[in-house]
Amino acid sequence: MALMIYSLYGFAIFFFVFWCAMWLLHLIAIFYGKYRLHKKVEDKPSDEAYPGVSILKPLMGTDPHLISNLETFFTMRYRAYELLFCIEDEKDPSIDVIYNLIKKYPKVATKVFIGGSSVGVNPKINNMHNAYQESVYDFILISDSGIRMKEDTLQDMVNHMSERTGIVHQMPFTCDRNGFAATYEKIYFGTAQSRMYLVADSLRVNCHTGMSTLMRKCVLEELGGIQTFGCYLAEDFFIAKTFIQKGWRTAISSQPAMQNSGICDVRSFQARLTRWAKLRVTMVPQVILLEPLSECMVIGACAAWAASLLFKWEPLVFYLIHILVWFMCDWILLSIVQNGSLPFNKFDFIVGWLFRECSGPYLFILAIFDNSIKWRNRSFRLAWGGRAQEIKPRIKC
């Protein structure tokens, strides 16, 4: 009986300490986000040499925003860069979009690579491999098809590439779009994702996502090129992990990555979140315990029980105050990341925030009990350590 009581108190202390730590993370994210994000971009003097950047753009299919997204890469205010478009299928409709933009902007150095290589299980690495082999500049920028760039975004990323920095990446965020799904996406990326991303960057912990990443090509070459990471689906995580092991730093730029995919619905976004959760579980198994506890509703319930046991506080009142303050912190953080007025009102935020917070633990449970991943028209099975195997390899006609 005494052992059971000690165990209960032990769990209560753990939950309450973890709850306090989560509030510390909130404060770090808010203050670090205010300090780090949306800084004025300093242009280099006209007589100073610009480091060249080879931009790899893997594409598959089209969507209503593809043309406008890609066009932002042709209009960047940066002197030395090349665009390397990578398309696996010669019948892909994105090819026509690319050639039309090349005709419109003939002065931008551009190459199109059709047909990928087979250097691993990762379709993105296979698609980019030929373009990577032909890249001419010292820096490689891997940028997903749904990313939009401002005129000074590439300059901002290059400015953060210090002498000991090997990777500069953009924190994921979204463009302003209409509809509940767009609100849901913006709330997720501007609160839960941004909180962990900003805290990890401030503590120099690997938080790298590969949707918009600037890397030193010389380091990649020392590691064997991007094909070295073709055995992983989460190649971005392992690239950053290897860079860090080699003594290089990673850093986020001041401008977030503005995702602007033309496909925006709740089901596909939740499938995306579940896929990411599966990858995290196999790469960093300790998230099985820690990630659910980082969710507002879960840690709030655990801390309310702990406070009632340790301090005799009213658990329901504690829980409601916890949710209210968490909600306010997320509103502040989202406003900092947005750097302007939000494209929805407070009621829409309340509904979207509650939906995100309540569905998060459910999606994580789904991820734990299924180690298979569907990525576009392919299926993979994950193994511990992050390696993947294609279940039904694609057959080319």
Side-chain angles (χ1 to χ4, degrees):
M1 186 68 178
L3 180 60
M4 182 179 295
I5 293 175
Y6 287 137
S7 298
L8 287 175
Y9 274 91
F11 280 116
I13 293 171
F14 170 78
F15 288 139
F16 195 80
V17 170
F18 194 95
W19 177 79
C20 292
M22 287 303 303
W23 289 113
L24 179 60
L25 298 187
H26 274 284
L27 293 176
I28 293 174
I30 289 172
F31 285 104
Y32 187 71
K34 192 69 176 177
Y35 157 77
R36 182 72 174 184
L37 300 177
H38 304 294
K39 298 293 185 181
K40 182 179 179 180
V41 180
E42 299 287 341
D43 287 332
K44 288 185 178 292
S46 57
D47 59 345
E48 186 174 337
Y50 275 54
V53 180
S54 296
I55 303 175
L56 307 187
K57 292 289 293 184
L59 302 177
M60 178 180 288
T62 62
D63 64 51
H65 296 163
L66 182 64
I67 296 176
S68 62
N69 290 339
L70 295 183
E71 189 166 14
T72 63
F73 286 82
F74 287 86
T75 58
M76 291 189 297
R77 194 175 66 244
Y78 194 83
R79 297 178 193 171
Y81 72 94
E82 61 174 350
L83 288 172
L84 308 179
F85 292 101
C86 317
I87 306 98
E88 186 180 22
D89 190 344
E90 62 182 10
K91 298 179 181 179
D92 195 294
S94 65
I95 295 175
D96 293 334
V97 173
I98 296 168
Y99 281 120
N100 287 335
L101 288 171
I102 291 174
K103 291 179 182 178
K104 186 175 181 180
Y105 299 96
K107 294 183 180 180
V108 179
T110 309
K111 294 181 182 178
V112 180
F113 296 83
I114 300 175
S117 300
S118 182
V119 295
V121 70
N122 186 310
K124 184 176 178 180
I125 295 290
N126 289 339
N127 195 10
M128 295 188 299
H129 180 254
N130 291 338
Y132 171 80
Q133 295 289 89
E134 297 293 325
S135 60
V136 299
Y137 288 124
D138 294 334
F139 290 97
I140 298 290
L141 173 63
I142 296 177
S143 177
D144 288 353
S145 61
I147 299 296
R148 290 184 67 86
M149 301 285 268
K150 296 180 180 178
E151 289 185 347
D152 57 0
T153 300
L154 184 54
Q155 182 67 68
D156 179 59
M157 298 182 76
V158 171
N159 288 351
H160 284 86
M161 187 65 77
S162 65
E163 189 174 318
R164 289 306 306 162
T165 302
I167 292 177
V168 173
H169 51 118
Q170 292 185 279
M171 186 179 75
F173 197 46
T174 62
C175 293
D176 295 346
R177 293 172 292 177
N178 297 322
F180 176 75
T183 300
Y184 175 36
E185 285 190 22
K186 186 174 284 287
I187 289 172
Y188 169 78
F189 284 112
T191 58
Q193 176 81 358
S194 293
R195 181 167 58 251
M196 294 306 171
Y197 219 89
L198 289 166
V199 171
D201 187 69
S202 68
L203 300 177
R204 299 193 183 279
V205 176
N206 184 8
C207 61
H208 177 229
T209 60
M211 62 182 63
S212 183
T213 304
L214 183 69
M215 296 177 283
R216 292 184 182 273
K217 186 179 180 181
C218 62
V219 183
L220 279 173
E221 288 295 287
E222 290 176 6
L223 301 174
I226 61 172
Q227 63 266 30
T228 302
F229 304 94
C231 59
Y232 306 106
L233 287 184
E235 80 292 336
D236 46 6
F237 174 85
F238 289 100
I239 289 174
K241 180 180 179 181
T242 308
F243 269 63
I244 293 171
Q245 289 173 344
K246 293 292 184 180
W248 293 92
R249 297 174 184 171
T250 66
I252 62 171
S253 63
S254 68
Q255 295 185 13
M258 303 307 293
Q259 302 174 83
N260 190 42
S261 173
I263 301 173
C264 186
D265 63 82
V266 172
R267 185 183 296 272
S268 62
F269 183 59
Q270 288 189 325
R272 192 180 177 195
L273 295 179
T274 304
R275 182 173 72 246
W276 289 345
K278 292 176 183 181
L279 291 169
R280 289 194 298 273
V281 167
T282 59
M283 295 184 303
V284 190
Q286 53 265 38
V287 304
I288 295 177
L289 172 64
L290 298 180
E291 185 163 329
L293 287 178
S294 69
E295 295 285 354
C296 173
M297 302 303 177
V298 177
I299 189 58
C302 294
W305 168 79
S308 67
L309 180 64
L310 297 173
F311 311 114
K312 309 303 179 185
W313 294 346
E314 174 57 44
L316 180 58
V317 174
F318 182 98
Y319 190 51
L320 292 177
I321 293 175
H322 159 85
I323 293 175
L324 177 61
V325 179
W326 194 295
F327 170 86
M328 294 172 62
C329 287
D330 276 354
W331 173 268
I332 293 170
L333 181 59
L334 177 59
S335 299
I336 291 172
V337 179
Q338 176 76 8
N339 194 37
S341 59
L342 296 171
F344 43 78
N345 57 41
K346 290 182 174 64
F347 177 77
D348 291 334
F349 177 74
I350 292 172
V351 174
W353 184 86
L354 287 173
F355 182 77
R356 209 305 300 172
E357 296 299 333
C358 293
S359 62
Y362 167 72
L363 296 177
F364 187 77
I365 292 172
L366 289 181
I368 291 177
F369 292 102
D370 183 9
N371 68 341
S372 63
I373 280 185
K374 290 184 179 179
W375 189 351
R376 294 185 183 268
N377 57 353
R378 299 177 183 180
S379 297
F380 304 86
R381 180 173 289 110
L382 296 172
W384 292 111
R387 292 181 178 270
Q389 179 181 5
E390 193 165 359
I391 298 174
K392 295 180 179 179
R394 186 179 181 184
I395 300 174
K396 292 186 177 181
C397 299

